[in-house]
Amino acid sequence: MKNNVKKINLPLSEEEIKSLRAGDVVELSGEVYTARDAAHKRFCDALARGEKLPIEVKNAAIYYCGPTPAVNSEVIGSCGPTTSARMDDYTPAMLKAGLKIMIGKGKRSETVNAAVKEYGAVYLVAIGGAGALIKNKVVSNVPVAYEDLGCEAVHKLTFKDLQLLVACDSNGINVLK
Amino acid sequence: MKEINAKEITERLGALIKNALIDVEPATQKLISDAAKKESSYMCKWALEQISENNSVASATRSYACQDCGQAVIFAEVGQDLHIKGNLTQAINDGVALGYADARKSVADPLTRLNTKTNTPAVIHYDVTDGDKLTVTYLAKGAGSENMSKLFMLTPSKGENGIIDCVVQTVTDAGANPCPPIIIGVGIGGTMEKCAILSKKALTRETGKASGNPLCAELEKKIYERVNATGIGAQGFGGDITALAVAVESAPTHIGMLPVAVNIQCHSVRHFSTVFIAK
């Protein structure tokens, strides 16, 4: 099993994204932005008004996550994925704006799966409820935007060797039930 | 009259909640590692192994097992022969706030969505019992699984098969979302709200422990078989083990009703019961 794990380093090229197949286990390193319900609402409101986002969305990766607070010298608290489906309504606009990688948990709508294919993106899943394990894979954590949202604020995280599964690939093939 | 000090309740609950959010219930951890050995799908096996590793890492590093530390649900059984020195509801909520001091605060006003910043109020269910003890049972309830729960007002003619179909439908609709492998609490009977509370209470039982009521225990086995035949598997990756356990609770209902509530719990089972003795 371990032998089959494919290492990926963000950002990914178009070819690298295309090479990922639904069902692959990958070990991801690189930078992602955290964003969940409230941040997505603000992103999409800003896009609708034609404004620039507070993150560089082109070719970006977004992790659907609201961590527990960091205590003492910790980089971050526990930080597993949240349910991606709640971001479905916002996702086509985000993909259109250039988002390439989404990381969360659980199935997406047909609309999102189709948009993943249309924009040559990929949807990865982390293990829901593995907050402590994922916390240990975060090497840096920098607040970027919407700090008033508390645990829903947007942070830039750098992961080192985080294991994920390709749930929906750039061909629109989805493995989730 | 014998007394329990509100301060004692607050302090003990605070300490127990903090640890409960770190250490997933041992019975659940055992079921997860057993499932990882049995699972035939490589993706689900990987998921189950990651979950086992997560729970070990959480305990070893004193980290929260899941970032969704949930809303606190409390069942309090209050002996009618005791007196609480102070306000019991306040004491419980203060205990919850203390337990969540370093955890994620996930409680907000439903309309304004403003966070209460203390993870309170807890959802508290009171029962009055004989004697002079106070038993407090705590359950952390995350949104992912709670959102996938359902209530059905069946007619009596639907019977046992109707009940089983409700559970299977709920689990199938939920798919990957409630973080399978799941534990399923089923409340049968009573009224609309009573069966919902029963389904929640079922989830406070030690995971995998059968009901003391033979009819409920039999139904638990049947539901377990049917749900694990759906092929959803751990994290919805498609596999053999979707549910780790099923817990059914029942109560008498109206001759014209058959209410069924299905409350889903994720694999991150965080609960305990503690007894306070009045002095």
Side-chain angles (χ1 to χ4, degrees):
Chain A
M1 179 64 223
K2 284 271 180 206
N3 297 340
N4 298 335
V5 176
K6 190 184 282 185
K7 282 193 176 279
I8 56 173
N9 289 294
L10 305 189
L12 298 183
S13 67
E14 208 172 302
E15 292 69 35
E16 283 172 313
I17 290 175
K18 283 204 170 124
S19 74
L20 298 175
R21 290 279 173 271
D24 286 351
V25 175
V26 298
E27 205 161 80
L28 176 146
S29 297
E31 291 178 350
V32 307
Y33 294 106
T34 64
R36 43 175 289 161
D37 310 53
H40 273 81
K41 183 169 187 337
R42 289 195 191 176
F43 284 158
C44 289
D45 287 350
L47 287 172
R49 290 191 299 260
E51 293 168 10
K52 199 172 174 299
L53 297 190
I55 63 169
E56 180 47 78
V57 68
K58 208 167 159 49
N59 218 19
I62 285 184
Y63 178 34
Y64 304 139
C65 173
T68 56
V71 212
N72 303 326
S73 59
E74 286 178 348
V75 172
I76 194 169
S78 291
C79 54
T82 195
T83 305
S84 307
R86 293 198 317 271
M87 267 50 80
D88 281 357
D89 287 346
Y90 305 115
T91 298
M94 294 298 291
L95 290 169
K96 194 176 176 202
L99 178 69
K100 285 293 178 199
I101 299 173
M102 296 168 285
I103 308 168
K105 73 169 173 89
K107 58 192 171 186
R108 314 299 302 261
S109 65
E110 286 306 316
T111 310
V112 168
N113 289 341
V116 165
K117 182 178 177 182
E118 182 184 349
Y119 294 105
V122 66
Y123 170 52
L124 309 172
V125 286
I127 301 292
L133 187 63
I134 297 170
K135 166 188 173 178
N136 281 0
K137 308 291 181 185
V138 179
V139 293
S140 86
N141 170 17
V142 183
V144 172
Y146 311 149
E147 285 191 62
D148 60 299
L149 293 179
C151 76
E152 293 203 57
V154 175
H155 286 230
K156 189 192 273 185
L157 306 185
T158 308
F159 281 123
K160 177 89 174 76
D161 300 334
L162 174 66
Q163 289 205 355
L164 303 164
L165 185 120
V166 180
C168 181
D169 64 26
S170 57
N171 295 313
I173 311 281
N174 160 58
V175 294
L176 295 179
K177 303 286 174 191
Chain B
M1 197 177 228
K2 289 186 174 178
E3 277 192 341
I4 298 174
N5 201 320
K7 192 163 166 253
E8 183 195 342
I9 297 169
T10 295
E11 286 173 0
R12 195 196 299 176
L13 284 185
L16 289 173
I17 288 172
K18 174 152 193 186
N19 283 321
L21 291 171
I22 294 170
D23 302 304
V24 170
E25 182 202 42
T28 305
Q29 294 206 46
K30 170 88 172 53
L31 288 170
I32 293 168
S33 54
D34 289 350
K37 286 175 203 139
K38 282 191 289 193
E39 177 61 57
S40 66
S41 144
Y42 82 91
M43 287 188 278
C44 292
K45 197 180 180 65
W46 169 73
L48 291 162
E49 286 168 355
Q50 294 266 306
I51 293 166
S52 273
E53 192 184 340
N54 176 71
N55 295 343
S56 307
V57 167
S59 291
T61 61
R62 307 314 294 156
S63 301
Y64 297 109
C66 178
Q67 75 289 339
D68 188 347
C69 299
Q71 186 158 15
V73 179
I74 301 281
F75 288 92
E77 292 176 8
V78 189
Q80 63 178 3
D81 299 331
L82 71 83
H83 176 251
I84 307 285
K85 200 174 168 193
N87 182 294
L88 178 56
T89 301
Q90 186 67 44
I92 291 172
N93 277 317
D94 288 351
V96 169
L98 185 63
Y100 280 82
D102 294 332
R104 200 183 85 183
K105 284 83 171 169
S106 308
V107 176
D109 182 279
L111 298 175
T112 64
R113 306 311 299 183
L114 283 175
N115 197 302
T116 65
K117 298 198 160 75
T118 54
N119 217 61
T120 63
V123 174
I124 309 175
H125 304 287
Y126 287 108
D127 264 323
V128 177
T129 57
D130 287 337
D132 55 10
K133 284 190 303 193
L134 165 68
T135 305
V136 179
T137 301
Y138 158 89
L139 172 69
K141 206 65 188 67
S145 59
E146 191 73 357
N147 276 339
M148 297 293 117
S149 303
K150 279 184 184 161
L151 175 73
F152 301 84
M153 299 304 287
L154 300 183
T155 53
S157 67
K158 299 294 179 197
E160 185 182 281
N161 286 337
I163 295 168
I164 297 173
D165 288 346
C166 286
V167 181
V168 174
Q169 186 196 321
T170 304
V171 172
T172 309
D173 290 350
N177 287 352
C179 287
I182 54 174
I183 293 92
I184 306 167
V186 184
I188 304 169
T191 48
M192 184 191 79
E193 85 287 4
K194 177 72 180 176
C195 76
I197 294 168
L198 286 173
S199 70
K200 182 77 72 202
K201 198 162 195 176
L203 294 175
T204 64
R205 210 190 287 165
E206 184 183 55
T207 304
K209 192 176 171 196
S211 167
N213 173 332
L215 279 177
C216 290
E218 194 54 37
L219 199 49
E220 287 168 0
K221 281 189 199 161
K222 288 179 183 170
I223 294 171
Y224 179 86
E225 294 301 325
R226 281 279 304 278
V227 163
N228 283 317
T230 58
I232 293 165
Q235 300 290 303
F237 295 163
D240 313 319
I241 297 144
T242 303
L244 296 172
V246 180
V248 173
E249 295 280 330
S250 72
T253 187
H254 189 282
I255 52 171
M257 302 195 310
L258 178 53
V260 178
V262 185
N263 197 188
I264 300 188
Q265 167 68 52
C266 63
H267 61 76
S268 206
V269 175
R270 297 155 293 176
H271 62 199
F272 65 80
S273 250
T274 185
V275 179
F276 295 86
I277 312 278
K279 285 172 199 142

